[in-house]
Short mmCIF file of all heavy atoms in Angstrom, two decimals:
data_model
loop_
_atom_site.label_atom_id
_atom_site.label_comp_id
_atom_site.label_asym_id
_atom_site.label_seq_id
_atom_site.Cartn_x
_atom_site.Cartn_y
_atom_site.Cartn_z
N GLY A 656 -5.87 -17.27 13.04
CA GLY A 656 -5.90 -16.30 14.12
C GLY A 656 -6.32 -14.93 13.65
O GLY A 656 -7.30 -14.77 12.94
N ILE A 657 -5.54 -13.90 14.03
CA ILE A 657 -5.90 -12.53 13.64
C ILE A 657 -5.43 -12.20 12.24
O ILE A 657 -5.62 -11.07 11.78
CB ILE A 657 -5.34 -11.49 14.64
CG1 ILE A 657 -3.81 -11.46 14.63
CG2 ILE A 657 -5.86 -11.76 16.04
CD1 ILE A 657 -3.22 -10.27 15.39
N MET A 658 -4.86 -13.18 11.53
CA MET A 658 -4.38 -12.93 10.18
C MET A 658 -5.48 -13.02 9.13
O MET A 658 -5.32 -12.51 8.01
CB MET A 658 -3.24 -13.90 9.84
CG MET A 658 -1.99 -13.67 10.68
SD MET A 658 -0.79 -15.01 10.54
CE MET A 658 -0.33 -14.91 8.80
N ARG A 659 -6.58 -13.69 9.44
CA ARG A 659 -7.72 -13.73 8.52
C ARG A 659 -9.00 -13.77 9.35
O ARG A 659 -9.35 -14.81 9.90
CB ARG A 659 -7.65 -14.93 7.57
CG ARG A 659 -8.85 -14.99 6.59
CD ARG A 659 -8.74 -16.13 5.62
NE ARG A 659 -7.68 -15.92 4.66
CZ ARG A 659 -7.81 -15.16 3.56
NH1 ARG A 659 -8.94 -14.54 3.31
NH2 ARG A 659 -6.81 -15.02 2.72
N THR A 660 -9.67 -12.64 9.41
CA THR A 660 -10.85 -12.52 10.28
C THR A 660 -12.03 -11.96 9.50
O THR A 660 -11.90 -11.48 8.38
CB THR A 660 -10.54 -11.61 11.47
OG1 THR A 660 -10.06 -10.34 10.99
CG2 THR A 660 -9.49 -12.23 12.37
N ARG A 661 -13.18 -12.02 10.12
CA ARG A 661 -14.41 -11.55 9.47
C ARG A 661 -14.64 -10.05 9.72
O ARG A 661 -15.42 -9.42 9.01
CB ARG A 661 -15.60 -12.36 9.97
CG ARG A 661 -15.56 -13.82 9.56
CD ARG A 661 -16.81 -14.58 9.97
NE ARG A 661 -16.85 -15.90 9.38
CZ ARG A 661 -16.52 -17.02 10.01
NH1 ARG A 661 -16.12 -16.97 11.28
NH2 ARG A 661 -16.59 -18.19 9.40
N GLU A 662 -14.00 -9.53 10.74
CA GLU A 662 -14.09 -8.10 11.06
C GLU A 662 -12.69 -7.61 11.36
O GLU A 662 -11.99 -8.19 12.18
CB GLU A 662 -15.00 -7.87 12.27
CG GLU A 662 -15.07 -6.42 12.72
CD GLU A 662 -15.83 -6.25 14.03
OE1 GLU A 662 -16.49 -7.22 14.46
OE2 GLU A 662 -15.76 -5.15 14.60
N PHE A 663 -12.25 -6.55 10.69
CA PHE A 663 -10.88 -6.08 10.88
C PHE A 663 -10.75 -4.64 10.41
O PHE A 663 -11.56 -4.15 9.62
CB PHE A 663 -9.90 -6.95 10.09
CG PHE A 663 -10.16 -6.98 8.60
CD1 PHE A 663 -9.50 -6.13 7.74
CD2 PHE A 663 -11.10 -7.87 8.07
CE1 PHE A 663 -9.76 -6.16 6.37
CE2 PHE A 663 -11.36 -7.91 6.71
CZ PHE A 663 -10.69 -7.04 5.85
N VAL A 664 -9.73 -3.97 10.92
CA VAL A 664 -9.42 -2.62 10.46
C VAL A 664 -8.43 -2.72 9.31
O VAL A 664 -7.45 -3.46 9.38
CB VAL A 664 -8.83 -1.77 11.60
CG1 VAL A 664 -8.30 -0.43 11.07
CG2 VAL A 664 -9.89 -1.52 12.67
N MET A 665 -8.71 -1.97 8.25
CA MET A 665 -7.79 -1.90 7.12
C MET A 665 -7.37 -0.46 6.89
O MET A 665 -8.16 0.46 7.05
CB MET A 665 -8.44 -2.43 5.84
CG MET A 665 -7.50 -2.35 4.63
SD MET A 665 -8.32 -2.76 3.06
CE MET A 665 -8.42 -4.54 3.23
N LYS A 666 -6.09 -0.30 6.54
CA LYS A 666 -5.67 0.97 5.98
C LYS A 666 -5.86 0.84 4.48
O LYS A 666 -5.17 0.07 3.83
CB LYS A 666 -4.20 1.26 6.32
CG LYS A 666 -3.72 2.67 5.91
CD LYS A 666 -3.54 2.91 4.41
CE LYS A 666 -2.55 1.94 3.80
NZ LYS A 666 -2.45 2.12 2.32
N ASP A 667 -6.84 1.55 3.94
CA ASP A 667 -7.02 1.54 2.49
C ASP A 667 -6.84 2.96 1.96
O ASP A 667 -7.43 3.90 2.46
CB ASP A 667 -8.37 0.94 2.08
CG ASP A 667 -9.55 1.41 2.92
OD1 ASP A 667 -9.35 1.69 4.11
OD2 ASP A 667 -10.66 1.47 2.39
N MET A 668 -5.97 3.07 0.96
CA MET A 668 -5.69 4.34 0.31
C MET A 668 -6.16 4.27 -1.14
O MET A 668 -6.08 3.20 -1.78
CB MET A 668 -4.20 4.67 0.35
CG MET A 668 -3.81 5.92 -0.45
SD MET A 668 -2.04 6.24 -0.43
CE MET A 668 -1.94 7.28 1.01
N TYR A 669 -6.63 5.40 -1.66
CA TYR A 669 -7.11 5.47 -3.04
C TYR A 669 -6.48 6.68 -3.72
O TYR A 669 -6.43 7.77 -3.15
CB TYR A 669 -8.64 5.57 -3.06
CG TYR A 669 -9.29 4.44 -2.31
CD1 TYR A 669 -9.68 4.59 -0.97
CD2 TYR A 669 -9.46 3.19 -2.89
CE1 TYR A 669 -10.24 3.53 -0.26
CE2 TYR A 669 -10.02 2.13 -2.19
CZ TYR A 669 -10.41 2.31 -0.88
OH TYR A 669 -10.95 1.25 -0.18
N SER A 670 -5.97 6.44 -4.92
CA SER A 670 -5.35 7.52 -5.68
C SER A 670 -6.24 7.90 -6.87
O SER A 670 -6.90 7.05 -7.47
CB SER A 670 -3.96 7.12 -6.17
OG SER A 670 -4.03 6.05 -7.10
N PHE A 671 -6.22 9.20 -7.20
CA PHE A 671 -7.02 9.75 -8.30
C PHE A 671 -6.09 10.61 -9.14
O PHE A 671 -5.53 11.60 -8.65
CB PHE A 671 -8.17 10.59 -7.74
CG PHE A 671 -9.07 9.83 -6.79
CD1 PHE A 671 -8.75 9.73 -5.44
CD2 PHE A 671 -10.20 9.18 -7.26
CE1 PHE A 671 -9.55 9.02 -4.57
CE2 PHE A 671 -11.01 8.46 -6.39
CZ PHE A 671 -10.68 8.38 -5.04
N SER A 672 -5.91 10.21 -10.40
CA SER A 672 -4.93 10.86 -11.26
C SER A 672 -5.56 11.29 -12.57
O SER A 672 -6.60 10.77 -13.01
CB SER A 672 -3.76 9.92 -11.54
OG SER A 672 -3.14 9.50 -10.34
N ARG A 673 -4.87 12.24 -13.27
CA ARG A 673 -5.37 12.76 -14.55
C ARG A 673 -5.07 11.83 -15.70
O ARG A 673 -5.82 11.79 -16.68
CB ARG A 673 -4.73 14.13 -14.82
CG ARG A 673 -5.29 15.24 -13.97
CD ARG A 673 -4.48 16.51 -14.09
NE ARG A 673 -3.21 16.38 -13.38
CZ ARG A 673 -2.47 17.41 -12.99
NH1 ARG A 673 -2.85 18.65 -13.25
NH2 ARG A 673 -1.35 17.20 -12.34
N ASN A 674 -3.96 11.09 -15.61
CA ASN A 674 -3.56 10.25 -16.74
C ASN A 674 -2.72 9.08 -16.23
O ASN A 674 -2.38 9.01 -15.04
CB ASN A 674 -2.79 11.07 -17.78
CG ASN A 674 -1.66 11.87 -17.14
OD1 ASN A 674 -0.81 11.31 -16.46
ND2 ASN A 674 -1.67 13.18 -17.35
N ILE A 675 -2.36 8.19 -17.16
CA ILE A 675 -1.63 6.98 -16.80
C ILE A 675 -0.26 7.30 -16.21
O ILE A 675 0.15 6.71 -15.21
CB ILE A 675 -1.48 6.05 -18.02
CG1 ILE A 675 -2.85 5.50 -18.46
CG2 ILE A 675 -0.54 4.88 -17.69
CD1 ILE A 675 -3.51 4.60 -17.45
N SER A 676 0.47 8.22 -16.80
CA SER A 676 1.81 8.53 -16.33
C SER A 676 1.79 9.10 -14.92
O SER A 676 2.64 8.77 -14.08
CB SER A 676 2.52 9.48 -17.29
OG SER A 676 1.84 10.72 -17.37
N GLU A 677 0.81 9.97 -14.65
CA GLU A 677 0.68 10.52 -13.32
C GLU A 677 0.35 9.42 -12.31
O GLU A 677 0.90 9.37 -11.20
CB GLU A 677 -0.40 11.59 -13.31
CG GLU A 677 -0.50 12.37 -12.00
CD GLU A 677 -1.47 13.55 -12.13
OE1 GLU A 677 -2.69 13.28 -12.16
OE2 GLU A 677 -1.00 14.70 -12.23
N HIS A 678 -0.56 8.52 -12.71
CA HIS A 678 -0.92 7.40 -11.85
C HIS A 678 0.28 6.51 -11.58
O HIS A 678 0.53 6.10 -10.43
CB HIS A 678 -2.04 6.58 -12.48
CG HIS A 678 -2.21 5.23 -11.85
ND1 HIS A 678 -2.76 5.04 -10.61
CD2 HIS A 678 -1.83 3.98 -12.30
CE1 HIS A 678 -2.75 3.76 -10.31
NE2 HIS A 678 -2.20 3.10 -11.31
N GLU A 679 1.04 6.18 -12.62
CA GLU A 679 2.18 5.28 -12.45
C GLU A 679 3.23 5.87 -11.52
O GLU A 679 3.88 5.15 -10.75
CB GLU A 679 2.79 4.93 -13.81
CG GLU A 679 1.90 4.01 -14.64
CD GLU A 679 2.48 3.71 -16.01
OE1 GLU A 679 3.43 4.43 -16.42
OE2 GLU A 679 1.99 2.76 -16.67
N SER A 680 3.40 7.19 -11.59
CA SER A 680 4.34 7.85 -10.69
C SER A 680 3.89 7.71 -9.23
O SER A 680 4.70 7.38 -8.35
CB SER A 680 4.46 9.33 -11.07
OG SER A 680 5.32 10.00 -10.17
N LEU A 681 2.60 7.94 -8.98
CA LEU A 681 2.07 7.77 -7.62
C LEU A 681 2.18 6.32 -7.17
O LEU A 681 2.54 6.03 -6.02
CB LEU A 681 0.60 8.21 -7.58
CG LEU A 681 0.32 9.71 -7.56
CD1 LEU A 681 -1.19 9.94 -7.65
CD2 LEU A 681 0.88 10.36 -6.30
N TYR A 682 1.85 5.41 -8.06
CA TYR A 682 1.87 3.98 -7.75
C TYR A 682 3.26 3.55 -7.28
O TYR A 682 3.40 2.83 -6.29
CB TYR A 682 1.45 3.21 -9.00
CG TYR A 682 1.20 1.73 -8.82
CD1 TYR A 682 -0.08 1.26 -8.53
CD2 TYR A 682 2.21 0.79 -8.96
CE1 TYR A 682 -0.33 -0.10 -8.39
CE2 TYR A 682 1.98 -0.57 -8.81
CZ TYR A 682 0.70 -1.01 -8.53
OH TYR A 682 0.45 -2.35 -8.38
N GLU A 683 4.30 4.01 -7.98
CA GLU A 683 5.67 3.66 -7.62
C GLU A 683 6.07 4.27 -6.28
O GLU A 683 6.76 3.63 -5.47
CB GLU A 683 6.65 4.09 -8.72
CG GLU A 683 6.59 3.22 -9.96
CD GLU A 683 6.84 1.74 -9.66
OE1 GLU A 683 7.80 1.44 -8.91
OE2 GLU A 683 6.08 0.90 -10.15
N LYS A 684 5.64 5.49 -6.02
CA LYS A 684 5.94 6.13 -4.73
C LYS A 684 5.31 5.34 -3.58
O LYS A 684 5.92 5.14 -2.54
CB LYS A 684 5.42 7.56 -4.71
CG LYS A 684 6.23 8.54 -5.54
CD LYS A 684 5.65 9.94 -5.45
CE LYS A 684 6.44 10.92 -6.31
NZ LYS A 684 5.84 12.29 -6.27
N ILE A 685 4.09 4.89 -3.79
CA ILE A 685 3.40 4.14 -2.74
C ILE A 685 4.02 2.76 -2.58
O ILE A 685 4.15 2.24 -1.45
CB ILE A 685 1.89 4.06 -3.05
CG1 ILE A 685 1.29 5.47 -3.05
CG2 ILE A 685 1.17 3.18 -2.02
CD1 ILE A 685 -0.09 5.57 -3.62
N LYS A 686 4.45 2.16 -3.68
CA LYS A 686 5.14 0.87 -3.60
C LYS A 686 6.40 1.00 -2.74
O LYS A 686 6.68 0.15 -1.88
CB LYS A 686 5.51 0.37 -4.99
CG LYS A 686 6.10 -1.03 -5.00
CD LYS A 686 6.69 -1.41 -6.34
CE LYS A 686 5.65 -1.53 -7.42
NZ LYS A 686 6.25 -1.98 -8.71
N GLN A 687 7.15 2.07 -2.94
CA GLN A 687 8.36 2.29 -2.13
C GLN A 687 8.00 2.58 -0.68
O GLN A 687 8.70 2.17 0.24
CB GLN A 687 9.19 3.43 -2.73
CG GLN A 687 9.80 3.12 -4.08
CD GLN A 687 10.62 1.84 -4.07
OE1 GLN A 687 11.45 1.63 -3.20
NE2 GLN A 687 10.35 0.97 -5.04
N ALA A 688 6.90 3.31 -0.47
CA ALA A 688 6.45 3.59 0.90
C ALA A 688 6.09 2.30 1.62
O ALA A 688 6.39 2.13 2.81
CB ALA A 688 5.25 4.54 0.88
N TYR A 689 5.45 1.37 0.91
CA TYR A 689 5.11 0.08 1.51
C TYR A 689 6.38 -0.69 1.90
O TYR A 689 6.45 -1.31 2.96
CB TYR A 689 4.26 -0.74 0.54
CG TYR A 689 2.77 -0.55 0.70
CD1 TYR A 689 2.24 0.72 0.91
CD2 TYR A 689 1.89 -1.61 0.64
CE1 TYR A 689 0.87 0.90 1.05
CE2 TYR A 689 0.52 -1.44 0.78
CZ TYR A 689 0.02 -0.18 0.99
OH TYR A 689 -1.32 0.00 1.13
N THR A 690 7.36 -0.66 1.02
CA THR A 690 8.63 -1.32 1.32
C THR A 690 9.23 -0.76 2.60
O THR A 690 9.71 -1.50 3.47
CB THR A 690 9.61 -1.16 0.15
OG1 THR A 690 9.06 -1.77 -1.03
CG2 THR A 690 10.95 -1.80 0.46
N GLU A 691 9.20 0.56 2.74
CA GLU A 691 9.73 1.21 3.93
C GLU A 691 8.93 0.83 5.18
O GLU A 691 9.49 0.62 6.26
CB GLU A 691 9.72 2.73 3.75
CG GLU A 691 10.20 3.53 4.96
CD GLU A 691 11.63 3.20 5.37
OE1 GLU A 691 12.42 2.72 4.53
OE2 GLU A 691 11.96 3.43 6.56
N ILE A 692 7.62 0.73 5.05
CA ILE A 692 6.77 0.34 6.17
C ILE A 692 7.19 -1.03 6.71
O ILE A 692 7.39 -1.22 7.91
CB ILE A 692 5.29 0.32 5.76
CG1 ILE A 692 4.76 1.76 5.62
CG2 ILE A 692 4.44 -0.45 6.77
CD1 ILE A 692 3.43 1.85 4.91
N PHE A 693 7.34 -2.00 5.82
CA PHE A 693 7.66 -3.35 6.28
C PHE A 693 9.09 -3.45 6.77
O PHE A 693 9.39 -4.27 7.66
CB PHE A 693 7.34 -4.37 5.19
CG PHE A 693 5.87 -4.41 4.87
CD1 PHE A 693 5.39 -4.10 3.61
CD2 PHE A 693 4.96 -4.70 5.86
CE1 PHE A 693 4.03 -4.09 3.33
CE2 PHE A 693 3.59 -4.70 5.61
CZ PHE A 693 3.14 -4.40 4.33
N ASN A 694 9.98 -2.60 6.26
CA ASN A 694 11.33 -2.51 6.84
C ASN A 694 11.24 -2.05 8.30
O ASN A 694 11.88 -2.62 9.19
CB ASN A 694 12.21 -1.55 6.05
CG ASN A 694 12.67 -2.11 4.72
OD1 ASN A 694 12.68 -3.33 4.53
ND2 ASN A 694 13.04 -1.25 3.80
N GLN A 695 10.46 -1.01 8.53
CA GLN A 695 10.33 -0.47 9.88
C GLN A 695 9.65 -1.43 10.84
O GLN A 695 9.89 -1.38 12.05
CB GLN A 695 9.55 0.85 9.85
CG GLN A 695 10.29 2.00 9.20
CD GLN A 695 9.52 3.30 9.33
OE1 GLN A 695 8.90 3.58 10.35
NE2 GLN A 695 9.55 4.11 8.28
N LEU A 696 8.81 -2.31 10.30
CA LEU A 696 8.08 -3.25 11.14
C LEU A 696 8.84 -4.56 11.37
O LEU A 696 8.30 -5.51 11.93
CB LEU A 696 6.71 -3.55 10.52
CG LEU A 696 5.75 -2.35 10.47
CD1 LEU A 696 4.47 -2.72 9.74
CD2 LEU A 696 5.42 -1.86 11.88
N GLY A 697 10.10 -4.59 10.94
CA GLY A 697 10.94 -5.75 11.21
C GLY A 697 10.75 -6.91 10.27
O GLY A 697 11.27 -8.01 10.51
N LEU A 698 10.03 -6.68 9.16
CA LEU A 698 9.73 -7.77 8.22
C LEU A 698 10.45 -7.61 6.87
O LEU A 698 10.25 -8.41 5.97
CB LEU A 698 8.22 -7.83 7.96
CG LEU A 698 7.35 -8.16 9.17
CD1 LEU A 698 5.87 -8.00 8.81
CD2 LEU A 698 7.62 -9.56 9.69
N GLY A 699 11.28 -6.56 6.76
CA GLY A 699 11.86 -6.23 5.46
C GLY A 699 12.66 -7.34 4.82
O GLY A 699 12.58 -7.56 3.60
N ASP A 700 13.42 -8.09 5.61
CA ASP A 700 14.29 -9.12 5.05
C ASP A 700 13.53 -10.30 4.48
O ASP A 700 14.07 -11.06 3.66
CB ASP A 700 15.27 -9.63 6.13
CG ASP A 700 16.31 -8.59 6.51
OD1 ASP A 700 16.48 -7.63 5.74
OD2 ASP A 700 16.93 -8.74 7.58
N ILE A 701 12.28 -10.48 4.90
CA ILE A 701 11.51 -11.65 4.45
C ILE A 701 10.24 -11.23 3.69
O ILE A 701 9.33 -12.03 3.52
CB ILE A 701 11.15 -12.57 5.63
CG1 ILE A 701 10.48 -11.80 6.78
CG2 ILE A 701 12.38 -13.30 6.13
CD1 ILE A 701 9.98 -12.68 7.91
#
């Protein structure tokens, strides 16, 4: 169905950092943000 299509809208974000530690800090923040998103969308438990 709409879960795998040939044309779709994506939210794509790109991070640009000076070094690995700065990147890893951003990466973890975004990982937590994603967790919060799926909690809000009613999918957090699964």
Side-chain angles (χ1 to χ4, degrees):
I657 66 169
M658 293 168 64
R659 180 177 290 279
T660 55
R661 294 184 170 101
E662 176 188 348
F663 59 95
V664 171
M665 179 188 285
K666 187 288 301 176
D667 43 329
M668 174 182 270
Y669 304 96
S670 64
F671 303 86
S672 302
R673 286 170 286 200
N674 50 55
I675 293 295
S676 62
E677 187 172 74
H678 164 73
E679 289 178 345
S680 177
L681 284 175
Y682 190 92
E683 286 303 314
K684 286 180 181 178
I685 297 167
K686 186 191 293 184
Q687 293 306 311
Y689 269 41
T690 299
E691 178 60 23
I692 286 166
F693 296 119
N694 286 339
Q695 291 186 38
L696 294 175
L698 297 172
D700 290 343
I701 52 175

